[in-house]
Amino acid sequence: MAKTQESAQAVATAEKKYMKPSEIVTFGIGLFGVALLTGWMPDYTMTFFADFAFKGKGFDSAQLATVVSSVFGVAGVVGAICELVIGMLVDRTRTSLGKVKPWVGFGAIPLAIISMLVFTAPNTSSFTVATIWMFVIYALYTAISCAVESPSNCFGALCSPNPKERSTAISIASFLRSVGQSGGQVVIIVVPVIMKALMGQQQYKNAEGQGIDLIISTAVCALGMFIFVMIFFANNKERVPYTKEKVSLIESIKLVFTNKNLLLVSLTKLFGFGRGVYGTVSLYIAVYLLGSKDLKLALMLPMGIGTAVGTLLVNLVLKKFSTKKTFILFCVYGTSSLAILYFLSRGIGFNSTLTIPFLILNFFCGIQHGNTNVTPNIMIADCIDEMEYKTGKRQEGLAYAGYGLFSKIASAGTKWLAPTLVYTWSRYQFSQSANIAYATQSDDTLNRFLAIYTIIPAIFVFLQFLPILFYDMVGEKKERITAALAEKRAQNAEAEGDAGSDDSNVEIAE
């Protein structure tokens, strides 16, 4: 009888609501702020290095393309290492503010500064100096952005011990993060419009040729990032209790890599590493296939809106299906939508009649991104519960770092593959004029741009769901682990006399 009462109490504890409505919103606002800056930085940094930073310096185009590819490949390796190190440090962080909030809040200013420096190239005619600068500045940006992004992703596993409440919070936050990514694209378009109005057409063209619009856009997004992160920092709390064990980096890595389900979720990034190449070519799709750089917003906004809608649809689908089925369903959908976009575009041809159908289909292609923004984060939080259930150790930092490690390895592959496809395989011609941003391209190059935007990502979207076929933290197993952890935490809280304490920013679940 006593055991039955304890189990009932554990279930009630697991289903308790912990977060205030405003916290769910400000969690999303924080992710919105981070994405406002980091969501567009990699792709625009690539085009800045290739097209603007050293224009008119006489550098060989083939050599520059090779270096740009290598810069992003090396940065991916740096990011993978940083993910593990930062994950370990997050798990060792013990402050009155929590283990995640200090990293996000105090990392905002360094991230804003380094982001500005990325678009401030040295005035040099030395290819060696230019190469060293690109490697160093982007590696630093990668490391600092990891120190903010990775902990901010961890917060979803700490905001509530209730899996349903935490899933809702993660879904809404992911929706706002996807809006933030589109918000950055809006800034990049609005800034040139204002510049053109203030400077006149010719002066603006000269400024655009030097990438000044990118520098100003970065400053606007960096300021916005800081403001929104501070709103999150001031209002949100961590509510899942720490575990006290100190674990070495080697033990932590072993723990992460021996958890089957976490490993399978992480492998989705590796299997799908090439799905992100569309982002690198999107600017050139706007310039050459749709006819204007200004249509980059028209191109990416429907996809961004589709992504935002997708995050909401995922939340609805999760009410009917498990995370496993939801992930697979959206991957199949994403592959199909990208294939349809490719064949329709080739059928219509690259002319003005293509623009509207292309933009409409772009919205439907964006819906599948909602899945990869939401479902893996919910799965990882479930995997953390499973690891705590099996080992008694709760390591959000390392769990998300393990996923982040694979993400950064995949990103390194993407950042190597993308410029290789865009600048070498497509036979892209660089502009040699200081006052002309983009040179004329051949029809063969345009056809290859379209393939990079559609068919190539479609292949990787399909591949990424294969590991999830073997994922099993769903159904009865998930419910059993959730109830067991709730019962254990209730017993620990009662034993320590800490139940219901609200005296600090880190609240222990009752």
Side-chain angles (χ1 to χ4, degrees):
M1 182 67 178
K3 187 67 176 177
T4 303
Q5 290 177 339
E6 289 178 2
S7 299
Q9 184 181 4
V11 171
T13 301
E15 294 180 352
K16 176 184 173 182
K17 298 294 184 182
Y18 294 85
M19 301 180 74
K20 295 181 294 186
S22 65
E23 289 183 85
I24 295 177
V25 174
T26 54
F27 173 29
I29 286 175
L31 293 189
F32 173 93
V34 175
L36 185 67
L37 182 61
T38 62
W40 59 271
M41 278 284 294
D43 294 331
Y44 276 86
T45 299
M46 190 173 292
T47 188
F48 178 74
F49 287 172
D51 293 309
F52 299 103
F54 304 105
K55 184 178 289 186
K57 302 300 182 182
F59 296 162
D60 179 74
S61 296
Q63 280 187 307
L64 184 60
T66 300
V67 168
V68 170
S69 299
S70 300
V71 164
F72 285 87
V74 170
V77 175
V78 171
I81 295 171
C82 287
E83 285 284 353
L84 287 177
V85 173
I86 291 167
M88 180 187 67
L89 293 175
V90 166
D91 281 330
R92 292 183 176 183
T93 301
R94 299 287 187 271
T95 73
S96 60
L97 295 171
K99 62 195 296 186
V100 163
K101 283 180 59 180
W103 288 87
V104 181
F106 298 124
I109 291 179
L111 177 58
I113 293 172
I114 193 66
S115 298
M116 289 295 301
L117 293 176
V118 166
F119 294 104
T120 311
N123 185 15
T124 180
S125 57
S126 169
F127 189 74
T128 300
V129 171
T131 298
I132 292 172
W133 175 80
M134 285 188 286
F135 273 103
V136 171
I137 196 68
Y138 198 69
L140 284 172
Y141 166 77
T142 300
I144 295 173
S145 63
C146 276
V148 176
E149 276 193 297
S150 184
S152 69
N153 290 332
C154 293
F155 186 79
L158 290 163
C159 63
S160 172
N162 180 340
K164 292 181 181 179
E165 184 177 40
R166 134 183 117 199
S167 295
T168 299
I170 290 172
S171 296
I172 293 174
S174 297
F175 168 77
L176 290 173
R177 176 171 54 193
S178 63
V179 173
Q181 292 171 339
S182 298
Q185 301 288 348
V186 171
V187 170
I188 294 170
I189 298 301
V190 170
V191 165
V193 170
I194 296 173
M195 289 176 64
K196 199 178 299 183
L198 295 175
M199 302 171 65
Q201 181 68 29
Q202 187 56 50
Q203 282 189 308
Y204 168 71
K205 286 189 68 176
N206 294 339
E208 180 194 30
Q210 300 170 46
I212 294 176
D213 55 331
L214 291 177
I215 298 172
I216 297 174
S217 298
T218 307
V220 172
C221 290
L223 177 61
M225 180 272 298
F226 178 76
I227 292 172
F228 293 124
V229 164
M230 288 303 103
I231 293 172
F232 157 80
F233 186 77
N235 191 55
N236 288 83
K237 299 177 181 179
E238 300 174 18
R239 290 183 168 82
V240 178
Y242 302 136
T243 53
K244 301 295 192 292
E245 300 86 350
K246 288 186 177 180
V247 183
S248 70
L249 179 59
I250 294 176
E251 290 173 327
S252 299
I253 293 173
K254 182 180 178 181
L255 178 67
V256 169
F257 282 86
T258 54
N259 181 277
K260 183 194 77 171
N261 285 317
L262 180 59
L263 188 59
L264 291 171
V265 177
S266 299
L267 283 173
T268 63
K269 299 299 293 185
L270 205 57
F271 277 56
F273 82 92
R275 63 187 295 273
V277 297
Y278 79 92
T280 302
V281 79
S282 59
L283 177 64
Y284 301 124
I285 291 287
V287 171
Y288 295 111
L289 269 64
L290 301 183
S292 171
K293 175 187 173 184
D294 293 340
L295 286 175
K296 174 69 185 291
L297 175 62
L299 176 67
M300 297 309 293
L301 194 55
M303 181 170 285
I305 295 171
T307 301
V309 171
T311 61
L312 298 178
L313 288 177
V314 167
N315 197 33
L316 294 176
V317 173
L318 284 169
K319 296 181 186 301
K320 301 283 187 180
F321 300 102
S322 68
T323 50
K324 176 179 180 176
K325 291 180 179 178
T326 298
F327 192 90
I328 294 172
L329 176 65
F330 275 90
C331 286
V332 173
Y333 166 82
T335 301
S336 303
S337 62
L338 287 166
I340 291 170
L341 179 60
Y342 175 78
F343 289 112
L344 181 66
S345 300
R346 288 300 303 270
I348 295 176
F350 306 135
N351 54 64
S352 58
T353 60
L354 171 66
T355 303
I356 299 302
F358 195 96
L359 297 181
I360 292 173
L361 284 175
N362 228 34
F363 164 80
F364 289 102
C365 290
I367 289 175
Q368 52 104 5
H369 293 306
N371 174 51
T372 50
N373 284 351
V374 177
T375 315
N377 286 320
I378 296 174
M379 288 176 164
I380 295 168
D382 293 338
C383 291
I384 294 168
D385 283 351
E386 183 185 21
M387 287 190 289
E388 183 183 359
Y389 174 75
K390 290 180 176 179
T391 68
K393 300 169 184 175
R394 188 171 184 88
Q395 294 177 274
E396 291 87 358
L398 258 299
Y400 278 94
Y403 178 74
L405 170 65
F406 280 85
S407 180
K408 286 298 186 295
I409 293 173
S411 179
T414 302
K415 296 310 179 187
W416 166 80
L417 179 63
T420 300
L421 291 172
V422 173
Y423 299 124
T424 303
W425 179 69
S426 73
R427 303 187 181 97
Y428 177 76
Q429 298 298 311
F430 291 93
S431 171
Q432 300 300 320
S433 171
N435 296 321
I436 298 177
Y438 305 103
T440 302
Q441 308 298 326
S442 68
D443 287 342
D444 180 59
T445 295
L446 300 185
N447 285 323
R448 295 185 183 212
F449 279 172
L450 180 62
I452 297 168
Y453 193 81
T454 55
I455 286 296
I456 293 175
I459 294 170
F460 287 97
V461 169
F462 179 82
L463 290 175
Q464 73 178 354
F465 84 76
L466 297 180
I468 296 301
L469 293 172
F470 306 95
Y471 178 86
D472 67 2
M473 185 56 183
V474 293
E476 185 276 333
K477 178 179 179 179
K478 177 178 175 179
E479 293 174 0
R480 173 167 44 85
I481 289 175
T482 299
L485 289 178
E487 183 176 353
K488 177 183 176 182
R489 289 168 186 159
Q491 291 172 351
N492 289 343
E494 184 177 354
E496 295 175 7
D498 289 333
S501 174
D502 290 323
D503 293 333
S504 67
N505 283 320
V506 180
E507 297 181 353
I508 304 301
E510 294 181 358

